[in-house]
Amino acid sequence: MSLSNAWIITQKEFAIIRLKKTMIYFYAVLPLALSFGLPLLIWHVINGASIRATDMHYISGLLNAFEFFFAIIAVILSSYTAAYSIVGEKIQKSLEPLLSTLVSDQEIILGKALSAFIPSFAAVLLANLIYMTLMNRVTYNLLGYSYYPNLSAVIVLLLLVPVGIILSIEISTISSSRVTDPRSAYQLSMVAFIPFFTVYVLTEISVISLTSMTLLIISGIVAAVDVLMYPLVIKTFSREMILTTWK
């Protein structure tokens, strides 16, 4: 497999993303809404509910849940791009020429995966840095120290977010290889959103707690699923089927 071929495909995908304003807005608005909205919500809670430093457990629970939001956002962002990558090109009649070249299936998949991974991770990283900076300012007087960065945040940002994006891309690749409509592909790709949302719900009803160890376990499970799904992705992405049966 040639990484240079994969990167050429990635650059081509970036050019397509730049032309689609809806994608650019999607990458900007959703992460930034969390970056500014969540600190504003905590500021309202602290100033409106007379919370004291003794309520640290309550505040830290909220902040851990909010940090987990960024993993969910990463899955949503990457699903949107990856799902469009194959079906969208098919509609625009630009996929068949690519599939007719000597570029391997693995190179095509890697190139398209990078085009979804890089902007999704970059958007979440930037948004998370803004969020942590603002949240530290909001909570410093209450806690007496800067809450971020901490181990849980590092695990979410550097472990859970990347493996979550990979899972999302794999599911999106499988779904978009089997349907001919971008909307259907995106809806099917949102399957990756379900386990992350389930974890969040379980934290809200106090079934689990998002400790560093819990986040490590979740990240390990998602990484294992990523590895197990890769052969299925390669098998599902069939250029012969796409070229001969898609109309």
Side-chain angles (χ1 to χ4, degrees), residues 107-118:
E107 291 166 353
I108 294 174
I109 292 173
L110 178 58
K112 290 182 174 293
L114 288 174
S115 71
F117 184 95
I118 294 173

Side-chain angles (χ1 to χ4, degrees), residues 99-148:
L99 295 177
S100 301
T101 65
L102 297 178
V103 179
S104 69
D105 289 353
Q106 289 88 346
E107 291 166 353
I108 294 174
I109 292 173
L110 178 58
K112 290 182 174 293
L114 288 174
S115 71
F117 184 95
I118 294 173
S120 299
F121 183 73
V124 170
L125 177 62
L126 176 61
N128 196 262
L129 292 176
I130 296 172
Y131 160 81
M132 288 192 291
T133 301
L134 294 178
M135 195 63 81
N136 281 339
R137 292 180 63 88
V138 168
T139 60
Y140 186 84
N141 288 336
L142 174 68
L143 304 178
Y145 62 92
S146 295
Y147 188 81
Y148 293 113

